[in-house]
Amino acid sequence: SKATVSVLYCLQQTKQSKMDSMAQWFSYVDTDRSGQLDYKELKGALQQAGLNFSPMTCNMMLRCFDPDRSGRISLPEFRNLFAWIQAKDACFMQVDLDRSQSLNHAEVYNAIKQGFPMLNLDQHAFYAATKAYDPDNNGTMSRAEYMAFCAYLELASRTFMSFDTQRSGMVNMNMSQFIFACSQCK
């Protein structure tokens, strides 16, 4: 479609030109002209770019880049989200050596190590988390499943960091805090 071509063109320009094109794209998908994108507008923007994520994944991505929890993202936040998507997708492509458009658990592990260098999950936690994002239980993740997993890890990391004020990698929390923390990751 015409919008997809303009998005692809946007990605091939210089940094300033990219920023201008991103602003034009943002204005185009900001259908209510609020200067911010809500869930529906963001989902539409991602679809125009050929990124067909589930409603849950789009919602998680929106929450990752919506620091004030308004349910809307501004142009700078949209730019950050799109850069994040590109970075996570680059990790996917780098480890998908057979170009199958899916990753086995070992490839997912390598992609996550590249995309989340500060995340240090033990094997048990990693495999439990990957299972949750492999809905057909076939031992692989499609690109969409991988991006959903990345959005989950981003939310989980940010939530953990909000409790880990000493940056020790450890937190103490009561049941209410635990339930709150879990609710922030979906």
Side-chain angles (χ1 to χ4, degrees), residues 132-153:
Y133 286 86
D134 179 13
D136 51 7
N137 243 357
N138 66 357
T140 65
M141 279 189 193
S142 67
R143 177 180 262 126
E145 292 165 347
Y146 168 78
M147 292 303 285
F149 185 50
C150 286
Y152 162 74
L153 291 175

Tab-separated table of all heavy atoms in Angstrom, residues 132-153:
chain	number	residue	atom	x	y	z
A	132	ALA	N	5.645	-19.478	27.623
A	132	ALA	CA	4.439	-18.647	27.673
A	132	ALA	C	4.213	-17.896	26.359
A	132	ALA	O	3.077	-17.519	26.054
A	132	ALA	CB	4.527	-17.662	28.834
A	133	TYR	N	5.262	-17.687	25.577
A	133	TYR	CA	5.146	-16.964	24.309
A	133	TYR	C	5.297	-17.888	23.100
A	133	TYR	O	5.547	-17.425	21.996
A	133	TYR	CB	6.123	-15.780	24.278
A	133	TYR	CG	5.594	-14.688	25.171
A	133	TYR	CD1	5.879	-14.677	26.529
A	133	TYR	CD2	4.726	-13.734	24.671
A	133	TYR	CE1	5.334	-13.724	27.362
A	133	TYR	CE2	4.180	-12.771	25.493
A	133	TYR	CZ	4.480	-12.771	26.842
A	133	TYR	OH	3.925	-11.830	27.660
A	134	ASP	N	5.144	-19.164	23.327
A	134	ASP	CA	5.129	-20.186	22.268
A	134	ASP	C	3.766	-20.889	22.362
A	134	ASP	O	3.670	-22.006	22.846
A	134	ASP	CB	6.281	-21.170	22.491
A	134	ASP	CG	6.335	-22.278	21.446
A	134	ASP	OD1	5.643	-22.163	20.409
A	134	ASP	OD2	7.057	-23.261	21.684
A	135	PRO	N	2.701	-20.202	21.918
A	135	PRO	CA	1.349	-20.707	22.165
A	135	PRO	C	1.039	-22.059	21.537
A	135	PRO	O	0.237	-22.819	22.077
A	135	PRO	CB	0.441	-19.622	21.591
A	135	PRO	CG	1.286	-18.874	20.626
A	135	PRO	CD	2.699	-18.984	21.136
A	136	ASP	N	1.681	-22.386	20.436
A	136	ASP	CA	1.416	-23.687	19.814
A	136	ASP	C	2.365	-24.772	20.317
A	136	ASP	O	2.320	-25.903	19.856
A	136	ASP	CB	1.429	-23.600	18.293
A	136	ASP	CG	2.666	-22.912	17.741
A	136	ASP	OD1	3.595	-22.613	18.531
A	136	ASP	OD2	2.708	-22.672	16.530
A	137	ASN	N	3.234	-24.394	21.251
A	137	ASN	CA	4.133	-25.347	21.909
A	137	ASN	C	4.995	-26.152	20.934
A	137	ASN	O	5.258	-27.322	21.154
A	137	ASN	CB	3.322	-26.307	22.781
A	137	ASN	CG	3.661	-26.187	24.239
A	137	ASN	OD1	4.539	-25.425	24.612
A	137	ASN	ND2	2.954	-26.935	25.050
A	138	ASN	N	5.461	-25.494	19.879
A	138	ASN	CA	6.282	-26.205	18.896
A	138	ASN	C	7.781	-25.961	19.070
A	138	ASN	O	8.579	-26.396	18.256
A	138	ASN	CB	5.841	-25.835	17.472
A	138	ASN	CG	6.107	-24.388	17.126
A	138	ASN	OD1	6.583	-23.613	17.950
A	138	ASN	ND2	5.775	-24.011	15.908
A	139	GLY	N	8.163	-25.257	20.129
A	139	GLY	CA	9.577	-25.037	20.398
A	139	GLY	C	10.201	-23.927	19.579
A	139	GLY	O	11.415	-23.760	19.584
A	140	THR	N	9.385	-23.169	18.856
A	140	THR	CA	9.897	-22.045	18.066
A	140	THR	C	9.027	-20.811	18.311
A	140	THR	O	7.906	-20.918	18.805
A	140	THR	CB	9.899	-22.344	16.549
A	140	THR	OG1	8.550	-22.512	16.102
A	140	THR	CG2	10.722	-23.570	16.223
A	141	MET	N	9.573	-19.667	17.957
A	141	MET	CA	8.828	-18.408	18.023
A	141	MET	C	8.856	-17.753	16.658
A	141	MET	O	9.927	-17.582	16.068
A	141	MET	CB	9.460	-17.443	19.031
A	141	MET	CG	9.111	-17.686	20.446
A	141	MET	SD	9.724	-16.305	21.453
A	141	MET	CE	9.526	-17.034	23.055
A	142	SER	N	7.686	-17.368	16.191
A	142	SER	CA	7.604	-16.555	14.985
A	142	SER	C	8.111	-15.153	15.325
A	142	SER	O	8.323	-14.820	16.503
A	142	SER	CB	6.149	-16.473	14.506
A	142	SER	OG	5.379	-15.735	15.446
A	143	ARG	N	8.254	-14.315	14.329
A	143	ARG	CA	8.686	-12.937	14.569
A	143	ARG	C	7.680	-12.237	15.488
A	143	ARG	O	8.071	-11.542	16.430
A	143	ARG	CB	8.831	-12.186	13.251
A	143	ARG	CG	9.198	-10.735	13.450
A	143	ARG	CD	9.350	-10.000	12.142
A	143	ARG	NE	10.766	-9.970	11.837
A	143	ARG	CZ	11.295	-10.386	10.706
A	143	ARG	NH1	10.564	-10.870	9.766
A	143	ARG	NH2	12.595	-10.303	10.505
A	144	ALA	N	6.394	-12.417	15.249
A	144	ALA	CA	5.369	-11.768	16.081
A	144	ALA	C	5.427	-12.280	17.516
A	144	ALA	O	5.307	-11.491	18.469
A	144	ALA	CB	3.983	-11.989	15.485
A	145	GLU	N	5.611	-13.581	17.698
A	145	GLU	CA	5.725	-14.143	19.050
A	145	GLU	C	6.978	-13.615	19.751
A	145	GLU	O	6.947	-13.282	20.937
A	145	GLU	CB	5.738	-15.672	18.999
A	145	GLU	CG	4.417	-16.272	18.574
A	145	GLU	CD	4.503	-17.740	18.172
A	145	GLU	OE1	5.624	-18.268	17.973
A	145	GLU	OE2	3.434	-18.362	18.045
A	146	TYR	N	8.066	-13.530	19.008
A	146	TYR	CA	9.316	-12.995	19.557
A	146	TYR	C	9.149	-11.536	19.984
A	146	TYR	O	9.593	-11.139	21.060
A	146	TYR	CB	10.434	-13.135	18.513
A	146	TYR	CG	11.682	-12.364	18.855
A	146	TYR	CD1	12.588	-12.855	19.793
A	146	TYR	CD2	11.960	-11.150	18.240
A	146	TYR	CE1	13.732	-12.140	20.115
A	146	TYR	CE2	13.100	-10.437	18.549
A	146	TYR	CZ	13.985	-10.934	19.490
A	146	TYR	OH	15.111	-10.222	19.807
A	147	MET	N	8.485	-10.731	19.159
A	147	MET	CA	8.281	-9.322	19.509
A	147	MET	C	7.376	-9.196	20.733
A	147	MET	O	7.600	-8.321	21.577
A	147	MET	CB	7.721	-8.546	18.321
A	147	MET	CG	8.712	-8.414	17.166
A	147	MET	SD	10.291	-7.651	17.601
A	147	MET	CE	9.794	-5.954	17.735
A	148	ALA	N	6.376	-10.078	20.848
A	148	ALA	CA	5.528	-10.083	22.050
A	148	ALA	C	6.372	-10.420	23.274
A	148	ALA	O	6.236	-9.802	24.335
A	148	ALA	CB	4.384	-11.080	21.886
A	149	PHE	N	7.258	-11.399	23.129
A	149	PHE	CA	8.150	-11.789	24.220
A	149	PHE	C	9.064	-10.630	24.608
A	149	PHE	O	9.262	-10.353	25.792
A	149	PHE	CB	8.945	-13.028	23.799
A	149	PHE	CG	9.812	-13.618	24.873
A	149	PHE	CD1	9.320	-13.898	26.133
A	149	PHE	CD2	11.138	-13.922	24.614
A	149	PHE	CE1	10.124	-14.457	27.128
A	149	PHE	CE2	11.946	-14.483	25.579
A	149	PHE	CZ	11.443	-14.757	26.847
A	150	CYS	N	9.589	-9.929	23.619
A	150	CYS	CA	10.445	-8.765	23.895
A	150	CYS	C	9.667	-7.677	24.629
A	150	CYS	O	10.193	-7.061	25.569
A	150	CYS	CB	11.026	-8.207	22.601
A	150	CYS	SG	12.336	-9.224	21.888
A	151	ALA	N	8.429	-7.428	24.216
A	151	ALA	CA	7.608	-6.415	24.890
A	151	ALA	C	7.367	-6.824	26.343
A	151	ALA	O	7.443	-5.996	27.259
A	151	ALA	CB	6.295	-6.207	24.152
A	152	TYR	N	7.098	-8.110	26.559
A	152	TYR	CA	6.922	-8.622	27.922
A	152	TYR	C	8.200	-8.407	28.745
A	152	TYR	O	8.149	-7.919	29.873
A	152	TYR	CB	6.548	-10.104	27.887
A	152	TYR	CG	6.770	-10.800	29.194
A	152	TYR	CD1	5.922	-10.590	30.275
A	152	TYR	CD2	7.869	-11.639	29.370
A	152	TYR	CE1	6.160	-11.203	31.495
A	152	TYR	CE2	8.101	-12.269	30.578
A	152	TYR	CZ	7.245	-12.044	31.645
A	152	TYR	OH	7.488	-12.646	32.844
A	153	LEU	N	9.346	-8.774	28.174
A	153	LEU	CA	10.612	-8.611	28.896
A	153	LEU	C	10.896	-7.141	29.194
A	153	LEU	O	11.420	-6.812	30.264
A	153	LEU	CB	11.765	-9.234	28.113
A	153	LEU	CG	11.776	-10.750	28.018
A	153	LEU	CD1	12.910	-11.225	27.112
A	153	LEU	CD2	11.877	-11.399	29.394
